[in-house]
Amino acid sequence: MIRGVAGLVMLAAVSGAMVPAARAQSQAGSELRDSVSLYASDRAALHRRYDAPWSAERRARMQTFHAEWATRLGAMPFERMGLEGRVDWVLLDTQLRYERALLEREAREWAEMVPLAPFAGRLIAFQDARRRLEPVTPRAVAGALDSLARQIDSARQAVEAGGAGTTSRIVAFRTVGMLGDLRRTMTGWYRFSAGYDPLFSWWVTAPYRRADSALAGYVKQVREKVLGFREGQDEPIIADPIGARGLEADLAHEMIPYRVEELIAIAEREFAWCEREMRRAAADMGFGDDWRAALERVKTLHEAPGDQPALIRALAEEAEEFVISRGLVTVPPVAREIWRMEMLSPQAQKVSPFFLGGEVIQVSFPTDSMAHEDKLMSMRGNNRYFSRATVHHELIPGHHLQGFMNERHQPHRRVFRTPFWTEGWALYWEMLLWDLGFPTTPEERVGMLFWRSHRAARIIFSLRVHLGTMTPQEAIDFLVARVGHERANAEAEVRRSFNGTYPPLYQAAYMLGGLQFRALHRDLVGGGRMSDRAFHDAILQGGPMPVEMVRARLLGEPPARDFRPAWRF
């Protein structure tokens, strides 16, 4: 059901959402729209075809693919393109260079793991041969698997005898993940023929099971002997730093012309602002400048068990009405109608102690199966004021509105998706709503400031861990001491940052992307060149991309063929 008269506001026309210089150049669309869509489709298809993890054959094929596209892109008539075409050309050129750099990084990481898993290449070869549709000779395969099992047993015995050598815990942790992926791949390889080919089943079943058991035993041995991990414990948090060289490549891909040290200094500046504002809020709550006491009080103001969903709905409607009634952004009625809510499981909350969002907001709150202490921490960490500052980030005007518009405008640009656009947009709204007086009580200010402090902390600890100057444990302690996290929630945040699938710059992208959008808003809306609605609609209708390219679009300044990031936001 469409909620409220304000929900009848319809999608603004593209022609009214940009400054005049950009509007005229963008109306014709991008000359590269179909080419970018073809690139994205072919890349996805090749990844499905070459699906053996860490395969050298896959790396070689993808290097060729991206080199071919670089040649094709270089032959396109860049100078005859309009604004949107040039933006897509630069985005695709940047993407191609980065993809090749990632493949080279993967090759270096593979070389580091081979000494600890010298048999891994043989596992990969089974899946590569399957994808080449090579005929299987069951007796020969059985012999290969029997030999593989013996090689894995030898490696396990070497680890048992302390033969991991100079392999670091970081490389060992990465190797354990790689072998887990390969074991799952081998399961699919085996099931392809087992039961369908009677000779395959007769010859291969026993040696396959032996090899699989040996592989499981080897992974267990590495986890216990090298990583110090025991079954039944939470997985250790072990970061895999990409170093200064890797961060430099990732920042270039995101079009961020700053050195890592400069970004950490920006975060410290934002952190200092948050701390000053937190002390002011604490004083307004009667705690003097004791911001910890104020934060502790806010953490106790949580809903009773079973009441969290009703709170989330009310908070979502409050944020929607705020942005719609002020004409800040166009919110199509269907976008308000379709979002849904689910609850996160206790296991999921070990990695995501707070909400996740998009079209479906996933809510953290205790379940009856959780330990008493975990229940208390979950309620404290998802109190009504922390939640108020989270809901609009995840739904409207945040991630849900983003995703809704991405499917309807410039969908070819989804291949250029970046957390600096995705998370930066949602964090930017936290800043804008603060400036517009969305928090009206000191408790509401504390809720927003907690998250803003957290985003500044993410820049600091994520970059420092990837530089190798901070450990994951130090990052946990930092979140507890400087932000005021519950320790279990801090552990979950750090685990999410380094044990999951997030790219290295993801956590830094929230605030840095938000600051980029804020600087652009200050120049265009603050300078009187666009209205709030026109500015926000133009961003959403342009599709995801690094924010410097958003700036080029809105200013109507086509990037040069040899573009290099230069915007200091």
Side-chain angles (χ1 to χ4, degrees):
M1 179 180 294
I2 297 171
R3 288 162 282 187
V5 175
L8 298 176
V9 176
M10 299 305 291
L11 189 62
V14 175
S15 60
M18 307 177 77
V19 294
R23 187 185 310 151
Q25 297 181 67
S26 67
Q27 286 177 334
S30 170
E31 297 89 342
L32 265 66
R33 180 189 61 191
D34 292 342
S35 293
V36 171
S37 295
L38 177 62
Y39 162 78
S41 296
D42 285 355
R43 186 185 71 162
L46 287 171
H47 278 299
R48 292 192 297 271
R49 159 60 178 83
Y50 296 89
D51 62 349
W54 299 93
S55 167
E57 183 176 319
R58 179 187 58 80
R59 285 197 296 274
R61 180 64 184 94
M62 297 311 296
Q63 284 284 19
T64 299
F65 171 73
H66 289 107
E68 290 171 347
W69 263 99
T71 300
R72 183 186 305 187
L73 188 66
M76 293 179 181
F78 180 86
E79 289 72 18
R80 297 204 297 271
M81 295 178 189
L83 171 64
E84 299 290 348
R86 290 194 184 195
V87 165
D88 277 340
W89 193 98
V90 168
L91 288 170
L92 185 53
D93 179 61
T94 301
Q95 185 72 23
L96 292 171
R97 286 187 277 111
Y98 183 61
E99 292 279 1
R100 284 177 283 176
L102 286 181
L103 291 168
E104 292 170 0
R105 184 185 299 175
E106 181 184 300
R108 292 194 298 270
E109 291 176 344
W110 167 257
E112 293 173 345
M113 293 187 292
V114 167
L116 190 59
F119 52 84
R122 298 181 66 182
L123 292 167
I124 294 169
F126 282 103
Q127 181 68 2
D128 280 343
R130 177 194 166 197
R131 289 305 185 207
R132 290 193 299 269
L133 303 178
E134 293 181 357
V136 174
T137 305
R139 183 170 183 172
V141 168
L145 286 168
D146 184 69
S147 172
L148 173 65
R150 284 186 273 108
Q151 186 180 6
I152 295 172
D153 285 340
S154 296
R156 183 176 58 79
Q157 291 166 9
V159 170
E160 176 67 26
T166 59
T167 301
S168 68
R169 292 183 80 238
I170 291 170
V171 173
F173 188 72
R174 188 197 310 147
T175 303
V176 164
M178 178 265 290
L179 292 177
D181 291 340
L182 291 180
R183 189 181 177 203
R184 287 185 288 272
T185 299
M186 283 296 292
T187 299
W189 168 86
Y190 172 73
R191 289 176 178 171
F192 178 75
S193 297
Y196 295 95
D197 181 341
L199 282 179
F200 181 92
S201 299
W202 193 91
W203 279 105
V204 173
T205 295
Y208 164 76
R209 289 176 177 169
R210 184 187 171 208
D212 181 66
S213 177
L215 183 57
Y218 182 71
V219 169
K220 183 174 183 292
Q221 191 79 0
V222 173
R223 287 165 69 92
E224 293 179 354
K225 292 293 184 180
V226 183
L227 300 178
F229 175 73
R230 294 292 183 271
E231 293 299 326
Q233 296 176 331
D234 285 338
E235 191 175 69
I237 305 174
I238 302 176
D240 194 352
I242 62 173
R245 176 182 174 185
L247 288 172
E248 182 180 346
D250 284 18
L251 288 169
H253 173 242
E254 300 292 356
M255 301 183 182
I256 304 293
Y258 286 81
R259 292 178 293 106
V260 174
E261 294 77 10
E262 292 178 298
L263 298 178
I264 292 175
I266 290 172
E268 291 285 7
R269 181 195 69 202
E270 293 296 321
F271 219 143
W273 179 89
C274 290
E275 290 173 335
R276 288 194 300 271
E277 290 296 324
M278 188 72 88
R279 285 193 292 271
R280 290 193 182 100
D284 290 343
M285 290 175 63
F287 292 105
D289 65 351
D290 189 350
W291 67 268
R292 292 182 181 279
L295 189 65
E296 180 63 25
R297 169 60 179 160
V298 166
K299 287 180 179 180
T300 68
L301 303 175
H302 51 71
E303 300 304 291
D307 290 347
Q308 190 80 340
L311 173 69
I312 302 312
R313 176 180 176 177
L315 294 176
E317 292 175 347
E318 178 190 28
E320 291 171 3
E321 294 298 337
F322 189 92
V323 300
I324 291 173
S325 65
R326 288 161 177 76
L328 298 177
V329 64
T330 298
V331 181
V334 174
R336 298 191 75 187
E337 179 182 359
I338 64 173
W339 68 263
R340 304 177 303 286
M341 189 189 314
E342 300 292 344
M343 305 301 288
L344 284 167
S345 69
Q347 190 61 35
Q349 290 184 53
K350 288 183 177 294
V351 179
S352 300
F354 308 109
F355 301 171
L356 299 174
E359 187 173 299
V360 177
I361 186 168
Q362 301 177 64
V363 180
S364 288
F365 212 64
T367 70
D368 59 2
S369 65
M370 292 170 67
H372 180 68
E373 183 178 353
D374 291 340
K375 288 178 181 177
L376 296 178
M377 285 197 178
S378 181
M379 286 192 292
R380 286 163 56 79
N382 293 283
N383 62 75
R384 67 186 64 147
Y385 296 108
F386 285 14
S387 298
R388 185 176 188 268
T390 303
V391 169
H392 63 74
H393 179 109
E394 304 296 353
L395 289 173
I396 293 172
H399 293 323
H400 169 46
L401 186 60
Q402 281 181 308
F404 185 91
M405 301 297 278
N406 283 172
E407 292 182 351
R408 292 156 177 81
H409 298 276
Q410 309 281 11
H412 69 285
R413 285 182 173 152
R414 281 179 286 188
V415 72
F416 303 129
R417 187 179 291 113
T418 162
F420 286 81
W421 190 91
T422 304
E423 300 294 357
W425 166 269
L427 193 280
Y428 154 79
W429 276 99
E430 294 182 35
M431 295 176 170
L432 182 61
L433 292 180
W434 173 279
D435 294 340
L436 294 176
F438 185 65
T440 59
T441 69
E443 291 82 3
E444 289 174 352
R445 284 154 52 202
V446 167
M448 295 190 79
L449 289 166
F450 171 82
W451 287 114
R452 198 150 161 180
S453 300
H454 177 59
R455 314 308 190 193
R458 275 179 165 174
I459 298 174
I460 296 167
F461 83 71
S462 65
L463 295 182
R464 288 188 61 191
V465 168
H466 277 290
L467 284 175
T469 60
M470 178 181 276
T471 67
Q473 184 57 53
E474 289 171 337
I476 293 169
D477 296 339
F478 178 69
L479 287 176
V480 173
R482 290 286 300 274
V483 181
H485 270 288
E486 299 294 304
R487 182 160 292 275
N489 292 343
E491 290 176 357
E493 277 293 297
V494 174
R495 184 183 307 280
R496 174 191 187 203
S497 299
F498 302 115
N499 282 27
T501 58
Y502 289 99
L505 291 180
Y506 196 94
Q507 306 299 10
Y510 285 75
M511 178 163 279
L512 294 175
L515 291 172
Q516 287 184 299
F517 280 122
R518 194 180 197 194
L520 195 53
H521 181 272
R522 182 175 60 246
D523 292 345
L524 292 177
V525 179
R529 302 175 67 180
M530 301 180 76
S531 68
D532 276 309
R533 177 177 294 180
F535 175 77
H536 297 130
D537 288 357
I539 293 170
L540 291 176
Q541 293 168 11
M545 63 185 73
V547 184
E548 186 160 355
M549 283 296 101
V550 175
R551 180 175 182 268
R553 289 186 66 252
L554 299 192
L555 292 176
E557 298 177 352
R561 185 187 186 100
D562 60 349
F563 166 84
R564 291 295 181 270
W567 179 40
R568 307 280 292 187
F569 52 87

